[in-house]
Amino acid sequence: MTKTPRQPVDSPVQSGVAPDGGTVDDAESARLDKLRAVQARVKQRRSSRSSAAASQTKDAVLSSPAAVDKPSGQQPSPPTGVTQARPSPSTTPPASAPASGMPTSPPAAGVAVSLRELLGRIAQVAEAGMRAPNVREASAVLVNRVAEVVACDRVVLVQLGHRPTLVNVSGGGVIEQDSRFTDAVSLLNRRLRAQQGGVIVPDEPEEGGDSRLRECQTAMRGTQIFWLPLPFEIGAPPEQIRYALWLERWRGRAWMDDEIELLNRAAVFFGPMLRPRGGRVREKLARRKILGVVLAVLAGVLMIPVQSSTVAPARVVPNEPNYVFAPLEGVLKDLEVKPGQEVVEGDILFRYDARVVDKKIDEAVREVAVARAELERLEGAAFRDAEARAQLPVQQLKVDLAESNLTFLRDQRERADVRSTSAGVIVLDDPDALIGRPLQLGEQVLGVADPDDTKLTLMVPVSDAGLLIDGQQVELRLDRDPLNSIPATVTRIGFEVVKSDQGVASVLVEARWDESISGRVRPGQRGSAKLISDPQPLWRQVFRKPLIKLREITGL
C-alpha cells in the first residue's frame, strides 16, 4: 500500500487523518459497505410504513456527497492557526443530541437522503444552537454538527470585522489568532465582504495573487474551501453580516451545485443561532437594575439622619465635697474612718503620731515652771537688791515666751486629732495607703461629701471629643444595674487631655442630673455613659471611627 510522504509545513490539524490520493484497506471498505446496507434497509422500512413519506422521497431525492473515508495514508496539512482535535463525545455539546431519534451521522456516499430528512437535520442543528445558553456554545454546536447536513472535513467559524477572529473549529481544536491562517481569512473577508451567498474559494494564482493565501492553500494540498456568510436575517446587507463559515473538503473533492444551494438556504437557519442572546442581555440588565436599586436603597439608608452617640467610662463623684487637708507635718498614725462611712461634725477622722509633740509639751511645761520660779525669786529680792529689780522685766518676758510655747504645743497636740467640720460620708480611694504615711502641710487626705449631692465624671476619648457640646444629653448605666439608664446633662467640658484608667487619652467631662435622681446613686459607683449628639447621616456614624483609624495609620 502506497503512502504519500508528509510535507514539512505548519499544520493546524494534529489528529484526524485525511489522505492525499491513498487507497483504503479492504476491512474498512467492507465495514462501510455494511453500514450503507443497514442504512438502506432502515430507509426502506420507513418508506413502507408511510405512503406519504414514500411519495415525497420518490419526488425529491438528493444524493449526499461522499463520506470521509478513514484512510491509512497521509492527510493534507491545514494552515497554521487551527489545531483540530479528534472529535469525541466530550467535545460535542450535549445540546446537539436530537430529540426525535433521527440519525445524526454525516450523509454517507451512495445513500439517498430525502429532502424531508435534510430539512429535519437542519432544523435539529438550528434548534440545538438556539437552545445554547450563549453564542460560544452555539458556535460549537454549529461547527460540530454542520456535517450532518452536508459532508465536510473541517469547519471553522469566523467572526467578521476589521480584523476577523476565529471563534470555533470543529472537533474542539485549539485556535491561534495570530497565524498565517488568520491572515488568509482576513484576506478572504476583504475580498468577499460584499458577497451575500456562499462561494467556492478558487486557487490563488502564482502571479498577482496573495502569497499568504497561496501558502495556506498549498499547505492544505487539494483542499476545497467553501466560504459561507451567515446572516441574522433574510436579505441582510453584507455590512451587517457578522459571521461566516470556512468549510473544507480534503483530497480534491469538489463542492456540488446542489450542496451549495442547500448551504445557502441553510445559512438562513444557522445565522440566527449566533445572534446575541437577548434573554441573557435582559437578565444582565435586570441584575444590574436590581443591583442599582439595592445600591440606591443602601445609599438612601446611609443618608438617613440618626442620633449619633459615643460611649465613655463614667464615675459618680460628690458634687462639692469638703476636702480635709493635713493641718501639720507628721506621720499619720491611725485612720478612724472608712470609705463611705457617715460622719457628723466633730468626729475624729485620723490621728497623727503625737509622741514628739507630747515630749515637747513636757519640756515646755518644765520651762514654764523654771521661768516662773526665777521670776518669783527676783520679785522677792527686788525690795533690797537694785540689780534684781532691773532683771524683773526680762524674766517676765521669758515666762511669757515659755507659756506661749506651751500654748502652741498644746494647740498642736489638739490638731494631731483631725476632726470633721461637716456631716456627710467619707470619700477615700485607698485607706491603707494613708496609714503610716508622712503628710506634708496642706496635703489633701480625704473628703467628706453630702451623699445626696452628686455628679457624674466621664473620660471621653479624644477621638470623640468633637461630638461634645454644653448641655448634651447623657444616659448613664451603672455596673450594678446595666438594664436601667439614668439621664444627665453635660455641665463642663475639660480642656486638658489626661489618661483614663484604661490608659486612653481622654477629656474630662462633668454632668449633672436632677435633684430627684441624686438619692438613687452613691459616690464611687461606676458605669458607662452614652453621650447623645445632634442627628447626622448614618454613614458618618458608621464610618467615622474607621476613617479616624485609617487617618492615624496612613498619616493623612
Side-chain angles (χ1 to χ4, degrees), residues 67-100:
V68 180
D69 298 330
K70 185 177 292 185
S72 59
Q74 186 71 22
Q75 71 172 16
S77 296
T80 303
V82 182
T83 303
Q84 182 174 351
R86 184 180 299 275
S88 63
S90 61
T91 62
T92 303
S96 63
S100 61

Side-chain angles (χ1 to χ4, degrees), residues 18 36 45 51 97 271-272 277 336 357 365 418 424 427 471 486 500 538:
R36 293 165 183 162
R45 291 178 181 177
S51 59
R277 299 303 191 254
E336 302 296 338
V357 178
V365 170
V418 181
V427 180
I486 301 175
S500 64
L538 178 62

Side-chain angles (χ1 to χ4, degrees), residues 290-305:
I290 294 174
L291 180 60
V293 171
V294 171
L295 292 178
V297 172
L298 181 60
V301 171
L302 291 177
M303 293 302 296
I304 295 176

Side-chain angles (χ1 to χ4, degrees), residues 489-549:
T489 305
V490 173
T491 57
R492 188 177 74 87
I493 301 174
F495 295 97
E496 296 183 358
V497 177
V498 295
K499 282 191 175 182
S500 64
D501 296 340
Q502 293 77 20
V504 179
S506 306
V507 176
L508 178 63
V509 178
E510 293 183 358
R512 293 292 305 275
W513 34 57
D514 295 336
E515 295 180 357
S516 59
I517 300 177
S518 298
R520 296 169 49 186
V521 293
R522 306 287 291 180
Q525 293 180 337
R526 295 177 180 269
S528 60
K530 181 171 72 172
L531 294 94
I532 302 174
S533 304
D534 294 334
Q536 61 181 350
L538 178 62
W539 69 266
R540 183 177 297 178
Q541 176 71 8
V542 173
F543 297 107
R544 181 174 59 85
K545 289 188 176 181
L547 290 176
I548 293 175
K549 183 64 66 176

Side-chain angles (χ1 to χ4, degrees), residues 400-414:
D400 293 342
L401 180 61
E403 288 179 351
S404 298
N405 186 35
L406 178 60
T407 303
F408 173 76
L409 291 176
R410 284 177 177 173
D411 183 62
Q412 289 289 94
R413 181 64 183 83
E414 290 181 0

Side-chain angles (χ1 to χ4, degrees), residues 25 109 316:
D25 53 16
V316 180

Side-chain angles (χ1 to χ4, degrees), residues 375 379 391-401 403:
L375 179 62
E379 286 177 351
Q391 292 180 353
L392 279 176
V394 176
Q395 188 62 32
Q396 184 63 44
L397 291 176
K398 290 182 179 180
V399 172
D400 293 342
L401 180 61
E403 288 179 351

Side-chain angles (χ1 to χ4, degrees), residues 112-128:
V113 180
S114 66
L115 178 60
R116 180 178 181 179
E117 183 172 349
L118 282 175
L119 293 177
R121 292 185 180 185
I122 294 174
Q124 289 178 15
V125 175
E127 181 184 4

